[in-house]
mmCIF file of all heavy atoms in Angstrom:
data_model
loop_
_atom_site.group_PDB
_atom_site.id
_atom_site.type_symbol
_atom_site.label_atom_id
_atom_site.label_comp_id
_atom_site.label_asym_id
_atom_site.label_seq_id
_atom_site.Cartn_x
_atom_site.Cartn_y
_atom_site.Cartn_z
ATOM 1 N N ILE I 22 81.103 121.351 107.236
ATOM 2 C CA ILE I 22 81.580 120.022 106.851
ATOM 3 C C ILE I 22 83.081 119.906 107.056
ATOM 4 O O ILE I 22 83.579 118.918 107.617
ATOM 5 C CB ILE I 22 81.211 119.727 105.382
ATOM 6 C CG1 ILE I 22 79.688 119.592 105.246
ATOM 7 C CG2 ILE I 22 81.913 118.455 104.881
ATOM 8 C CD1 ILE I 22 79.198 119.568 103.813
ATOM 9 N N ASP I 23 83.847 120.926 106.615
ATOM 10 C CA ASP I 23 85.299 120.894 106.752
ATOM 11 C C ASP I 23 85.724 120.829 108.210
ATOM 12 O O ASP I 23 86.615 120.041 108.580
ATOM 13 C CB ASP I 23 85.919 122.141 106.101
ATOM 14 C CG ASP I 23 85.837 122.097 104.581
ATOM 15 O OD1 ASP I 23 85.569 121.007 104.039
ATOM 16 O OD2 ASP I 23 86.039 123.152 103.951
ATOM 17 N N VAL I 24 85.097 121.649 109.060
ATOM 18 C CA VAL I 24 85.452 121.663 110.485
ATOM 19 C C VAL I 24 85.113 120.319 111.124
ATOM 20 O O VAL I 24 85.888 119.782 111.926
ATOM 21 C CB VAL I 24 84.734 122.810 111.215
ATOM 22 C CG1 VAL I 24 84.960 122.709 112.731
ATOM 23 C CG2 VAL I 24 85.235 124.161 110.714
ATOM 24 N N ALA I 25 83.945 119.755 110.769
ATOM 25 C CA ALA I 25 83.540 118.463 111.340
ATOM 26 C C ALA I 25 84.518 117.367 110.946
ATOM 27 O O ALA I 25 84.906 116.526 111.772
ATOM 28 C CB ALA I 25 82.133 118.109 110.867
ATOM 29 N N GLN I 26 84.927 117.368 109.681
ATOM 30 C CA GLN I 26 85.874 116.349 109.222
ATOM 31 C C GLN I 26 87.206 116.467 109.952
ATOM 32 O O GLN I 26 87.809 115.468 110.344
ATOM 33 C CB GLN I 26 86.089 116.488 107.714
ATOM 34 C CG GLN I 26 84.900 116.024 106.883
ATOM 35 C CD GLN I 26 85.106 116.265 105.395
ATOM 36 O OE1 GLN I 26 85.803 117.189 104.992
ATOM 37 N NE2 GLN I 26 84.473 115.436 104.582
ATOM 38 N N ARG I 27 87.674 117.691 110.132
ATOM 39 C CA ARG I 27 88.953 117.892 110.808
ATOM 40 C C ARG I 27 88.877 117.493 112.279
ATOM 41 O O ARG I 27 89.821 116.914 112.817
ATOM 42 C CB ARG I 27 89.402 119.350 110.669
ATOM 43 C CG ARG I 27 89.807 119.692 109.252
ATOM 44 C CD ARG I 27 90.447 121.054 109.140
ATOM 45 N NE ARG I 27 90.836 121.289 107.752
ATOM 46 C CZ ARG I 27 91.936 120.826 107.188
ATOM 47 N NH1 ARG I 27 92.780 120.087 107.906
ATOM 48 N NH2 ARG I 27 92.227 121.071 105.928
ATOM 49 N N LYS I 28 87.780 117.809 112.925
ATOM 50 C CA LYS I 28 87.638 117.423 114.331
ATOM 51 C C LYS I 28 87.586 115.904 114.469
ATOM 52 O O LYS I 28 88.155 115.323 115.398
ATOM 53 C CB LYS I 28 86.390 118.072 114.930
ATOM 54 C CG LYS I 28 86.552 119.560 115.236
ATOM 55 C CD LYS I 28 85.328 120.115 115.926
ATOM 56 C CE LYS I 28 85.553 121.578 116.325
ATOM 57 N NZ LYS I 28 86.552 121.695 117.398
ATOM 58 N N ALA I 29 86.874 115.252 113.527
ATOM 59 C CA ALA I 29 86.810 113.789 113.555
ATOM 60 C C ALA I 29 88.200 113.202 113.339
ATOM 61 O O ALA I 29 88.612 112.258 114.035
ATOM 62 C CB ALA I 29 85.855 113.289 112.475
ATOM 63 N N TYR I 30 88.949 113.755 112.384
ATOM 64 C CA TYR I 30 90.301 113.272 112.120
ATOM 65 C C TYR I 30 91.199 113.464 113.329
ATOM 66 O O TYR I 30 91.979 112.578 113.690
ATOM 67 C CB TYR I 30 90.890 114.009 110.915
ATOM 68 C CG TYR I 30 92.353 113.705 110.696
ATOM 69 C CD1 TYR I 30 92.760 112.487 110.161
ATOM 70 C CD2 TYR I 30 93.334 114.628 111.054
ATOM 71 C CE1 TYR I 30 94.094 112.196 109.971
ATOM 72 C CE2 TYR I 30 94.682 114.338 110.872
ATOM 73 C CZ TYR I 30 95.056 113.129 110.328
ATOM 74 O OH TYR I 30 96.377 112.838 110.155
ATOM 75 N N GLN I 31 91.104 114.640 113.975
ATOM 76 C CA GLN I 31 91.937 114.919 115.142
ATOM 77 C C GLN I 31 91.667 113.927 116.267
ATOM 78 O O GLN I 31 92.581 113.474 116.951
ATOM 79 C CB GLN I 31 91.700 116.346 115.618
ATOM 80 C CG GLN I 31 92.278 117.398 114.681
ATOM 81 C CD GLN I 31 91.763 118.807 114.964
ATOM 82 O OE1 GLN I 31 90.947 119.000 115.867
ATOM 83 N NE2 GLN I 31 92.236 119.776 114.199
ATOM 84 N N SER I 32 90.391 113.581 116.453
ATOM 85 C CA SER I 32 90.040 112.619 117.501
ATOM 86 C C SER I 32 90.603 111.240 117.189
ATOM 87 O O SER I 32 91.170 110.566 118.052
ATOM 88 C CB SER I 32 88.512 112.536 117.643
ATOM 89 O OG SER I 32 87.978 113.779 118.041
ATOM 90 N N ILE I 33 90.451 110.816 115.928
ATOM 91 C CA ILE I 33 90.982 109.511 115.519
ATOM 92 C C ILE I 33 92.500 109.502 115.644
ATOM 93 O O ILE I 33 93.092 108.540 116.135
ATOM 94 C CB ILE I 33 90.559 109.187 114.072
ATOM 95 C CG1 ILE I 33 89.048 109.010 113.989
ATOM 96 C CG2 ILE I 33 91.264 107.927 113.575
ATOM 97 C CD1 ILE I 33 88.524 108.953 112.575
ATOM 98 N N ASN I 34 93.126 110.595 115.217
ATOM 99 C CA ASN I 34 94.582 110.659 115.249
ATOM 100 C C ASN I 34 95.118 110.565 116.670
ATOM 101 O O ASN I 34 96.124 109.901 116.924
ATOM 102 C CB ASN I 34 95.061 111.954 114.599
ATOM 103 C CG ASN I 34 96.570 112.074 114.639
ATOM 104 O OD1 ASN I 34 97.273 111.313 114.002
ATOM 105 N ND2 ASN I 34 97.073 113.007 115.425
ATOM 106 N N LEU I 35 94.452 111.231 117.612
ATOM 107 C CA LEU I 35 94.908 111.189 119.002
ATOM 108 C C LEU I 35 94.941 109.756 119.515
ATOM 109 O O LEU I 35 95.914 109.314 120.133
ATOM 110 C CB LEU I 35 93.981 112.038 119.883
ATOM 111 C CG LEU I 35 94.250 111.978 121.390
ATOM 112 C CD1 LEU I 35 95.629 112.547 121.710
ATOM 113 C CD2 LEU I 35 93.177 112.740 122.160
ATOM 114 N N VAL I 36 93.882 109.008 119.217
ATOM 115 C CA VAL I 36 93.802 107.615 119.666
ATOM 116 C C VAL I 36 94.839 106.755 118.941
ATOM 117 O O VAL I 36 95.477 105.893 119.549
ATOM 118 C CB VAL I 36 92.384 107.049 119.438
ATOM 119 C CG1 VAL I 36 92.330 105.573 119.820
ATOM 120 C CG2 VAL I 36 91.361 107.845 120.245
ATOM 121 N N LEU I 37 95.028 107.003 117.639
ATOM 122 C CA LEU I 37 95.985 106.228 116.856
ATOM 123 C C LEU I 37 97.410 106.447 117.359
ATOM 124 O O LEU I 37 98.177 105.487 117.536
ATOM 125 C CB LEU I 37 95.885 106.616 115.380
ATOM 126 C CG LEU I 37 96.898 105.985 114.420
ATOM 127 C CD1 LEU I 37 96.779 104.465 114.437
ATOM 128 C CD2 LEU I 37 96.712 106.521 113.011
ATOM 129 N N VAL I 38 97.777 107.702 117.599
ATOM 130 C CA VAL I 38 99.118 108.007 118.097
ATOM 131 C C VAL I 38 99.336 107.380 119.472
ATOM 132 O O VAL I 38 100.380 106.794 119.751
ATOM 133 C CB VAL I 38 99.348 109.536 118.153
ATOM 134 C CG1 VAL I 38 100.653 109.864 118.872
ATOM 135 C CG2 VAL I 38 99.374 110.124 116.750
ATOM 136 N N GLN I 39 98.324 107.493 120.330
ATOM 137 C CA GLN I 39 98.443 106.903 121.665
ATOM 138 C C GLN I 39 98.568 105.385 121.581
ATOM 139 O O GLN I 39 99.390 104.776 122.282
ATOM 140 C CB GLN I 39 97.237 107.268 122.524
ATOM 141 C CG GLN I 39 97.367 106.749 123.961
ATOM 142 C CD GLN I 39 96.171 107.117 124.810
ATOM 143 O OE1 GLN I 39 95.151 107.562 124.296
ATOM 144 N NE2 GLN I 39 96.277 106.927 126.102
ATOM 145 N N ARG I 40 97.764 104.769 120.719
ATOM 146 C CA ARG I 40 97.842 103.310 120.565
ATOM 147 C C ARG I 40 99.237 102.880 120.137
ATOM 148 O O ARG I 40 99.826 101.954 120.712
ATOM 149 C CB ARG I 40 96.826 102.840 119.524
ATOM 150 C CG ARG I 40 96.787 101.320 119.349
ATOM 151 C CD ARG I 40 96.262 100.892 117.998
ATOM 152 N NE ARG I 40 97.213 101.155 116.914
ATOM 153 C CZ ARG I 40 97.045 100.732 115.653
ATOM 154 N NH1 ARG I 40 95.961 100.052 115.329
ATOM 155 N NH2 ARG I 40 97.943 101.005 114.722
ATOM 156 N N ASN I 41 99.786 103.541 119.112
ATOM 157 C CA ASN I 41 101.091 103.142 118.587
ATOM 158 C C ASN I 41 102.198 103.392 119.611
ATOM 159 O O ASN I 41 103.148 102.609 119.703
ATOM 160 C CB ASN I 41 101.380 103.886 117.287
ATOM 161 C CG ASN I 41 100.441 103.465 116.168
ATOM 162 O OD1 ASN I 41 99.713 102.477 116.298
ATOM 163 N ND2 ASN I 41 100.436 104.194 115.078
ATOM 164 N N TRP I 42 102.083 104.467 120.376
ATOM 165 C CA TRP I 42 103.070 104.764 121.420
ATOM 166 C C TRP I 42 103.017 103.696 122.518
ATOM 167 O O TRP I 42 104.047 103.209 122.981
ATOM 168 C CB TRP I 42 102.786 106.137 122.006
ATOM 169 C CG TRP I 42 103.801 106.635 122.993
ATOM 170 C CD1 TRP I 42 104.959 107.284 122.724
ATOM 171 C CD2 TRP I 42 103.726 106.518 124.421
ATOM 172 N NE1 TRP I 42 105.627 107.596 123.888
ATOM 173 C CE2 TRP I 42 104.893 107.131 124.952
ATOM 174 C CE3 TRP I 42 102.803 105.970 125.306
ATOM 175 C CZ2 TRP I 42 105.152 107.208 126.316
ATOM 176 C CZ3 TRP I 42 103.052 106.040 126.665
ATOM 177 C CH2 TRP I 42 104.209 106.652 127.162
ATOM 178 N N LEU I 43 101.812 103.305 122.916
ATOM 179 C CA LEU I 43 101.660 102.288 123.960
ATOM 180 C C LEU I 43 102.124 100.919 123.473
ATOM 181 O O LEU I 43 102.727 100.151 124.234
ATOM 182 C CB LEU I 43 100.198 102.211 124.413
ATOM 183 C CG LEU I 43 99.713 103.379 125.271
ATOM 184 C CD1 LEU I 43 98.202 103.312 125.458
ATOM 185 C CD2 LEU I 43 100.409 103.375 126.624
ATOM 186 N N LEU I 44 101.855 100.600 122.205
ATOM 187 C CA LEU I 44 102.356 99.338 121.652
ATOM 188 C C LEU I 44 103.879 99.326 121.655
ATOM 189 O O LEU I 44 104.504 98.322 122.004
ATOM 190 C CB LEU I 44 101.829 99.146 120.225
ATOM 191 C CG LEU I 44 100.337 98.823 120.080
ATOM 192 C CD1 LEU I 44 99.935 98.829 118.613
ATOM 193 C CD2 LEU I 44 99.997 97.491 120.724
ATOM 194 N N GLY I 45 104.475 100.464 121.269
ATOM 195 C CA GLY I 45 105.935 100.564 121.296
ATOM 196 C C GLY I 45 106.487 100.458 122.700
ATOM 197 O O GLY I 45 107.524 99.824 122.934
ATOM 198 N N LYS I 46 105.787 101.051 123.653
ATOM 199 C CA LYS I 46 106.200 100.996 125.064
ATOM 200 C C LYS I 46 106.178 99.558 125.572
ATOM 201 O O LYS I 46 107.104 99.100 126.249
ATOM 202 C CB LYS I 46 105.281 101.869 125.913
ATOM 203 C CG LYS I 46 105.634 101.934 127.399
ATOM 204 C CD LYS I 46 104.704 102.937 128.091
ATOM 205 C CE LYS I 46 105.109 103.133 129.556
ATOM 206 N NZ LYS I 46 104.865 101.949 130.390
ATOM 207 N N ARG I 47 105.108 98.845 125.201
ATOM 208 C CA ARG I 47 104.973 97.460 125.666
ATOM 209 C C ARG I 47 106.049 96.575 125.038
ATOM 210 O O ARG I 47 106.602 95.675 125.712
ATOM 211 C CB ARG I 47 103.589 96.918 125.318
ATOM 212 C CG ARG I 47 103.341 95.513 125.838
ATOM 213 C CD ARG I 47 103.377 95.482 127.356
ATOM 214 N NE ARG I 47 103.249 94.120 127.870
ATOM 215 C CZ ARG I 47 104.265 93.301 128.089
ATOM 216 N NH1 ARG I 47 105.515 93.700 127.832
ATOM 217 N NH2 ARG I 47 104.061 92.085 128.565
ATOM 218 N N ILE I 48 106.370 96.803 123.768
ATOM 219 C CA ILE I 48 107.441 96.045 123.125
ATOM 220 C C ILE I 48 108.768 96.321 123.824
ATOM 221 O O ILE I 48 109.552 95.408 124.101
ATOM 222 C CB ILE I 48 107.541 96.405 121.628
ATOM 223 C CG1 ILE I 48 106.309 95.907 120.875
ATOM 224 C CG2 ILE I 48 108.802 95.790 121.009
ATOM 225 C CD1 ILE I 48 106.229 96.390 119.436
ATOM 226 N N ALA I 49 109.019 97.593 124.131
ATOM 227 C CA ALA I 49 110.269 97.975 124.802
ATOM 228 C C ALA I 49 110.383 97.296 126.162
ATOM 229 O O ALA I 49 111.460 96.823 126.549
ATOM 230 C CB ALA I 49 110.334 99.489 124.958
ATOM 231 N N GLU I 50 109.279 97.238 126.884
ATOM 232 C CA GLU I 50 109.282 96.583 128.200
ATOM 233 C C GLU I 50 109.599 95.104 128.072
ATOM 234 O O GLU I 50 110.315 94.532 128.908
ATOM 235 C CB GLU I 50 107.916 96.777 128.874
ATOM 236 C CG GLU I 50 107.635 98.218 129.280
ATOM 237 C CD GLU I 50 106.193 98.431 129.715
ATOM 238 O OE1 GLU I 50 105.343 97.570 129.399
ATOM 239 O OE2 GLU I 50 105.926 99.466 130.347
ATOM 240 N N GLU I 51 109.085 94.488 127.011
ATOM 241 C CA GLU I 51 109.325 93.061 126.799
ATOM 242 C C GLU I 51 110.776 92.817 126.394
ATOM 243 O O GLU I 51 111.416 91.874 126.880
ATOM 244 C CB GLU I 51 108.386 92.536 125.709
ATOM 245 C CG GLU I 51 108.436 91.037 125.497
ATOM 246 C CD GLU I 51 107.848 90.262 126.679
ATOM 247 O OE1 GLU I 51 107.097 90.863 127.482
ATOM 248 O OE2 GLU I 51 108.148 89.062 126.783
ATOM 249 N N VAL I 52 111.295 93.664 125.509
ATOM 250 C CA VAL I 52 112.666 93.512 125.017
ATOM 251 C C VAL I 52 113.674 93.672 126.153
ATOM 252 O O VAL I 52 114.719 93.001 126.172
ATOM 253 C CB VAL I 52 112.953 94.530 123.892
ATOM 254 C CG1 VAL I 52 114.444 94.547 123.524
ATOM 255 C CG2 VAL I 52 112.120 94.204 122.652
ATOM 256 N N MET I 53 113.372 94.520 127.122
ATOM 257 C CA MET I 53 114.282 94.763 128.243
ATOM 258 C C MET I 53 114.533 93.498 129.055
ATOM 259 O O MET I 53 115.537 93.373 129.749
ATOM 260 C CB MET I 53 113.706 95.846 129.165
ATOM 261 C CG MET I 53 113.745 97.249 128.584
ATOM 262 S SD MET I 53 115.418 97.894 128.423
ATOM 263 C CE MET I 53 115.833 98.149 130.146
ATOM 264 N N GLN I 54 113.620 92.521 128.950
ATOM 265 C CA GLN I 54 113.755 91.296 129.734
ATOM 266 C C GLN I 54 114.775 90.329 129.126
ATOM 267 O O GLN I 54 115.232 89.406 129.795
ATOM 268 C CB GLN I 54 112.396 90.593 129.832
ATOM 269 C CG GLN I 54 111.340 91.415 130.551
ATOM 270 C CD GLN I 54 109.999 90.695 130.595
ATOM 271 O OE1 GLN I 54 109.928 89.484 130.381
ATOM 272 N NE2 GLN I 54 108.936 91.425 130.883
ATOM 273 N N GLY I 55 115.105 90.525 127.862
ATOM 274 C CA GLY I 55 116.013 89.597 127.199
ATOM 275 C C GLY I 55 117.472 89.930 127.461
ATOM 276 O O GLY I 55 117.853 91.100 127.581
ATOM 277 N N GLU I 56 118.298 88.909 127.561
ATOM 278 C CA GLU I 56 119.725 89.128 127.786
ATOM 279 C C GLU I 56 120.381 89.720 126.537
ATOM 280 O O GLU I 56 121.085 90.722 126.601
ATOM 281 C CB GLU I 56 120.393 87.808 128.176
ATOM 282 C CG GLU I 56 119.937 87.276 129.529
ATOM 283 C CD GLU I 56 120.662 86.004 129.924
ATOM 284 O OE1 GLU I 56 121.594 85.595 129.182
ATOM 285 O OE2 GLU I 56 120.313 85.424 130.971
ATOM 286 N N ASP I 57 120.179 89.071 125.406
ATOM 287 C CA ASP I 57 120.642 89.626 124.140
ATOM 288 C C ASP I 57 119.463 90.394 123.551
ATOM 289 O O ASP I 57 118.633 89.857 122.834
ATOM 290 C CB ASP I 57 121.074 88.511 123.184
ATOM 291 C CG ASP I 57 121.732 89.052 121.928
ATOM 292 O OD1 ASP I 57 121.459 90.222 121.587
ATOM 293 O OD2 ASP I 57 122.511 88.328 121.298
ATOM 294 N N ARG I 58 119.382 91.693 123.869
ATOM 295 C CA ARG I 58 118.174 92.453 123.584
ATOM 296 C C ARG I 58 117.878 92.588 122.093
ATOM 297 O O ARG I 58 116.726 92.546 121.682
ATOM 298 C CB ARG I 58 118.279 93.836 124.231
ATOM 299 C CG ARG I 58 118.255 93.756 125.755
ATOM 300 C CD ARG I 58 118.467 95.106 126.398
ATOM 301 N NE ARG I 58 118.547 94.969 127.849
ATOM 302 C CZ ARG I 58 118.861 95.959 128.679
ATOM 303 N NH1 ARG I 58 119.126 97.159 128.195
ATOM 304 N NH2 ARG I 58 118.910 95.764 129.978
ATOM 305 N N ALA I 59 118.908 92.756 121.288
ATOM 306 C CA ALA I 59 118.690 92.905 119.850
ATOM 307 C C ALA I 59 118.099 91.629 119.255
ATOM 308 O O ALA I 59 117.103 91.659 118.531
ATOM 309 C CB ALA I 59 119.998 93.260 119.154
ATOM 310 N N GLU I 60 118.706 90.488 119.595
ATOM 311 C CA GLU I 60 118.229 89.210 119.074
ATOM 312 C C GLU I 60 116.852 88.871 119.643
ATOM 313 O O GLU I 60 115.962 88.425 118.918
ATOM 314 C CB GLU I 60 119.226 88.099 119.414
ATOM 315 C CG GLU I 60 118.837 86.739 118.846
ATOM 316 C CD GLU I 60 119.859 85.666 119.148
ATOM 317 O OE1 GLU I 60 120.984 86.010 119.598
ATOM 318 O OE2 GLU I 60 119.532 84.478 118.959
ATOM 319 N N TYR I 61 116.684 89.097 120.941
ATOM 320 C CA TYR I 61 115.403 88.806 121.583
ATOM 321 C C TYR I 61 114.300 89.720 121.024
ATOM 322 O O TYR I 61 113.170 89.283 120.785
ATOM 323 C CB TYR I 61 115.515 88.996 123.088
ATOM 324 C CG TYR I 61 114.241 88.665 123.841
ATOM 325 C CD1 TYR I 61 113.743 87.367 123.876
ATOM 326 C CD2 TYR I 61 113.534 89.663 124.514
ATOM 327 C CE1 TYR I 61 112.573 87.061 124.562
ATOM 328 C CE2 TYR I 61 112.365 89.370 125.205
ATOM 329 C CZ TYR I 61 111.892 88.065 125.222
ATOM 330 O OH TYR I 61 110.737 87.773 125.895
ATOM 331 N N GLY I 62 114.651 90.998 120.798
ATOM 332 C CA GLY I 62 113.682 91.942 120.249
ATOM 333 C C GLY I 62 113.201 91.530 118.876
ATOM 334 O O GLY I 62 112.011 91.646 118.557
ATOM 335 N N ALA I 63 114.117 91.038 118.044
ATOM 336 C CA ALA I 63 113.743 90.583 116.709
ATOM 337 C C ALA I 63 112.777 89.406 116.788
ATOM 338 O O ALA I 63 111.802 89.332 116.024
ATOM 339 C CB ALA I 63 114.992 90.195 115.921
ATOM 340 N N LYS I 64 113.024 88.487 117.723
ATOM 341 C CA LYS I 64 112.131 87.333 117.892
ATOM 342 C C LYS I 64 110.760 87.772 118.379
ATOM 343 O O LYS I 64 109.732 87.261 117.926
ATOM 344 C CB LYS I 64 112.754 86.347 118.883
ATOM 345 C CG LYS I 64 113.981 85.624 118.360
ATOM 346 C CD LYS I 64 114.531 84.652 119.403
ATOM 347 C CE LYS I 64 115.755 83.908 118.888
ATOM 348 N NZ LYS I 64 116.317 82.984 119.897
ATOM 349 N N VAL I 65 110.745 88.717 119.321
ATOM 350 C CA VAL I 65 109.470 89.218 119.854
ATOM 351 C C VAL I 65 108.639 89.863 118.754
ATOM 352 O O VAL I 65 107.444 89.584 118.596
ATOM 353 C CB VAL I 65 109.720 90.231 120.990
ATOM 354 C CG1 VAL I 65 108.433 90.980 121.341
ATOM 355 C CG2 VAL I 65 110.265 89.526 122.221
ATOM 356 N N ILE I 66 109.272 90.722 117.974
ATOM 357 C CA ILE I 66 108.548 91.430 116.919
ATOM 358 C C ILE I 66 108.083 90.474 115.833
ATOM 359 O O ILE I 66 106.966 90.597 115.313
ATOM 360 C CB ILE I 66 109.431 92.558 116.346
ATOM 361 C CG1 ILE I 66 109.516 93.703 117.364
ATOM 362 C CG2 ILE I 66 108.886 93.059 115.004
ATOM 363 C CD1 ILE I 66 110.391 94.849 116.971
#
């Protein structure tokens, strides 16, 4: 049971970390398009 739970968690975690990294990457790509990046980034988020 313990090994199964840990393997399930590891699989979920891999997808979660990848999702959050890709979301951050996409936000960064969008922010790069703005002239005033800080202000534009705040509006995007």
